[in-house]
Amino acid sequence: MTETSAPATAPPARPRTAAQHPGDFAAFYTTEMTRVTVFLMNLGASPYEAADATHEAFLIILPDRWRTLEHPRAYLRTVAYRKYLQQITSRTLPTDPVPDRPGGTCPVELLVLSDEQQHLLDLLATLPPAEREAMAWKLDGFSHEETAVFLGKNPAAVRQAYGRARTRLKKALGLKEAAADV
């Protein structure tokens, strides 16, 4: 997050889709809760930290603020990431037991990671912060240009960070060697 900032520009003009700005908050919440939680996990959060930060971000855009946002999906991710970073800096060891949730359910239970997904998270953890950030936004379906606008960075810097991350991940997964053998 220390790369040079891009000049202030408007986000790319595109018509809004239902996924970008749905009319029903419940549908938006249902769709984005798990996606943003996984996004934060890609950035280094534990499942519980990610779910907590995502919930806090949803509270900020309630009740009707989310309808006025031009890019609610990106805004939600940006706020959730900031909430996660705040958790890291103010982390204390809990002394009280974790209270039970109503009905005994936990939203994190919906996130069951396969061994392959956990391996990918472990590999993402080895990336430098800028590369990890670029990869997390790309894995979440955002283009380099969109990511640059939302993060206030130069699109070339985001593209370069993504390229470096991709190269490191390929090397860690042994994909270059496999391609050379074929």
Side-chain angles (χ1 to χ4, degrees):
M1 295 188 76
T2 59
E3 296 192 13
T4 57
S5 297
T9 59
R14 276 201 259 179
R16 292 183 186 164
T17 65
Q20 288 174 317
H21 205 284
D24 178 26
F25 187 79
F28 179 69
Y29 178 86
T30 302
T31 303
E32 295 300 320
M33 178 58 197
T34 303
R35 289 179 180 171
V36 176
T37 301
V38 170
F39 171 76
L40 291 177
M41 290 170 62
N42 287 340
L43 287 167
S46 73
Y48 292 100
E49 292 169 330
D52 188 42
T54 302
H55 278 290
E56 287 185 44
F58 270 110
L59 288 174
I60 289 174
I61 64 173
L62 279 173
D64 291 323
R65 183 170 183 200
W66 72 282
R67 292 181 192 270
T68 63
L69 297 170
E70 187 171 351
H71 300 281
R73 292 179 61 239
Y75 183 82
L76 181 64
R77 282 155 179 77
T78 302
V79 171
Y81 184 55
R82 288 180 185 151
K83 290 295 181 184
Y84 164 62
L85 292 176
Q86 288 173 358
Q87 287 177 5
I88 292 172
T89 59
S90 65
R91 188 175 295 158
T92 59
L93 295 175
T95 55
D96 296 332
V98 177
D100 290 333
R101 294 179 83 47
T105 62
C106 177
V108 176
E109 292 172 0
L110 299 174
L111 292 173
V112 178
L113 299 177
S114 68
D115 291 339
E116 187 176 288
Q117 290 169 319
Q118 186 59 54
H119 182 62
L120 177 60
L121 286 177
D122 294 341
L123 290 176
L124 287 173
T126 66
L127 297 175
E131 293 177 21
R132 187 174 190 167
E133 186 175 54
M135 183 59 73
W137 281 88
K138 186 67 171 178
L139 288 171
D140 210 31
F142 290 88
S143 71
H144 300 306
E145 290 74 20
E146 289 171 323
T147 301
V149 170
F150 302 139
L151 297 177
K153 294 183 176 182
N154 185 321
V158 172
R159 197 174 298 106
Q160 184 179 30
Y162 172 77
R164 288 190 312 258
R166 189 170 177 208
T167 299
R168 288 178 201 259
L169 292 174
K170 279 182 174 181
K171 184 176 179 182
L173 291 169
L175 295 177
K176 277 193 171 181
E177 292 80 15
D181 292 340
V182 176

